[in-house]
Amino acid sequence: MSRFSQCSMSHFVLHFLSVATQRRCKEVHHLNINSVQGDNVSISCLTTTHPLQSLTVKLHRTNQDKDILMYPDISPASEHQRWSVRKDAGNVTIVLKDVRLSDDDLYDCQVYKDQDCINVIRFHLKVKDSVHPTPDSSVLLPCSEHPLQNRTEQVTWKVVNAQYPPPNNPSSSTEKLLKPLYERARQLANGSLLIRDVANDDELWYRCKVNEKTCYDVKLLLK
């Protein structure tokens, strides 16, 4: 225990001295990044001719006030994390694999050359959920991350950025007509939306609101 504490303290002191001498960037560039749960995301932090090995890249989670990635990082655990740094075609890029709802937050990607900050990108990663039913099955769209909780607030659902219902032109006389969404959809006591007989035309973004405030966006994708 004593040996581990000493090693940790030495690493902390070296890291503190390194950060303390770094000079902040004068200009911050802002981005909004939209992603779906389970996707991979790449965020370009800098276009440069400098080799990646000569740069220091730091990713800071702003609202939690903590660094979640430092390149180069001597920690052997870093290679197992979902965040990583790479350089392709001159772009220093932050990569996040298997995006989760908990990743939705504000981040700073800071790039240093020696002790000078040469660029910082502040991006808001917005993560939306998705569900994957099979055709003709029923699907439940949750209105929160806790779909089993009943709600006493007013909940409303709508289709986002799409015209519904779309034209229904069966390709053959044997293909059944698709019933309107309002006949196949029913809102449950917990605010979730139950859709029966899911079809290709239902592959859309859906948004629920609680007390007229946006609560949750979810995309329906057929398997």
Side-chain angles (χ1 to χ4, degrees):
M1 177 64 70
S2 175
R3 180 180 178 183
F4 176 80
S5 299
Q6 290 175 358
C7 291
S8 299
M9 180 64 70
S10 299
H11 179 270
F12 173 79
V13 171
L14 290 174
H15 176 72
F16 177 79
L17 291 175
S18 174
V19 173
T21 56
Q22 291 176 339
R23 289 178 281 275
R24 292 184 177 182
C25 280
K26 298 180 180 179
E27 185 177 1
V28 179
H29 305 279
H30 297 265
L31 290 176
N32 288 321
I33 308 294
N34 294 315
S35 182
V36 177
Q37 185 180 17
D39 280 356
N40 297 334
V41 175
S42 298
I43 302 99
S44 178
C45 297
L46 177 69
T47 300
T48 179
T49 57
H50 295 300
L52 182 59
Q53 294 77 8
S54 68
L55 302 174
T56 299
V57 182
K58 181 169 68 175
L59 184 65
H60 185 79
R61 191 160 183 166
T62 306
N63 293 331
Q64 297 184 9
D65 193 21
K66 67 176 183 180
D67 295 336
I68 59 176
L69 178 67
M70 177 75 78
Y71 175 90
D73 189 346
I74 62 173
S75 171
S78 63
E79 62 186 16
H80 303 296
Q81 296 174 352
R82 293 180 299 121
W83 292 95
S84 61
V85 179
R86 71 184 184 199
K87 185 180 180 185
D88 293 324
N91 288 312
V92 177
T93 303
I94 293 285
V95 180
L96 172 60
K97 296 182 179 179
D98 188 22
V99 174
R100 302 170 185 173
L101 293 176
S102 58
D103 296 322
D104 192 308
D105 211 337
L106 189 66
Y107 300 84
D108 281 351
C109 178
Q110 304 167 3
V111 183
Y112 294 84
K113 174 62 176 172
D114 298 326
Q115 300 304 318
D116 292 323
C117 179
I118 56 178
N119 200 50
V120 56
I121 298 291
R122 177 165 296 171
F123 62 92
H124 185 187
L125 178 60
K126 300 179 181 180
V127 183
K128 299 181 180 181
D129 202 359
S130 63
V131 293
H132 303 269
T134 56
D136 298 323
S137 66
S138 295
V139 62
L140 190 67
L141 305 184
C143 190
S144 74
E145 296 183 34
H146 308 286
L148 298 181
Q149 298 178 357
N150 287 347
R151 291 186 174 276
T152 57
E153 308 97 330
Q154 180 184 2
V155 177
T156 58
W157 282 89
K158 74 173 185 177
V159 175
V160 182
N161 296 331
Q163 183 178 0
Y164 201 98
N168 186 10
N169 299 315
S171 58
S172 68
S173 58
T174 59
E175 184 178 344
K176 65 179 181 180
L177 289 171
L178 178 66
K179 291 183 179 180
L181 181 61
Y182 68 86
E183 292 185 9
R184 296 180 291 113
R186 179 169 62 93
Q187 185 173 305
L188 305 183
N190 58 18
S192 299
L193 187 69
L194 176 65
I195 302 178
R196 295 179 288 105
D197 301 327
V198 176
N200 291 330
D201 290 337
D202 300 324
E203 287 192 316
L204 302 164
W205 279 105
Y206 296 81
R207 174 173 296 168
C208 75
K209 288 188 177 182
V210 180
N211 293 336
E212 293 304 315
K213 295 182 179 179
T214 300
C215 170
Y216 205 68
D217 284 355
V218 58
K219 188 168 187 179
L220 192 155
L221 295 169
L222 293 183
K223 290 183 179 179

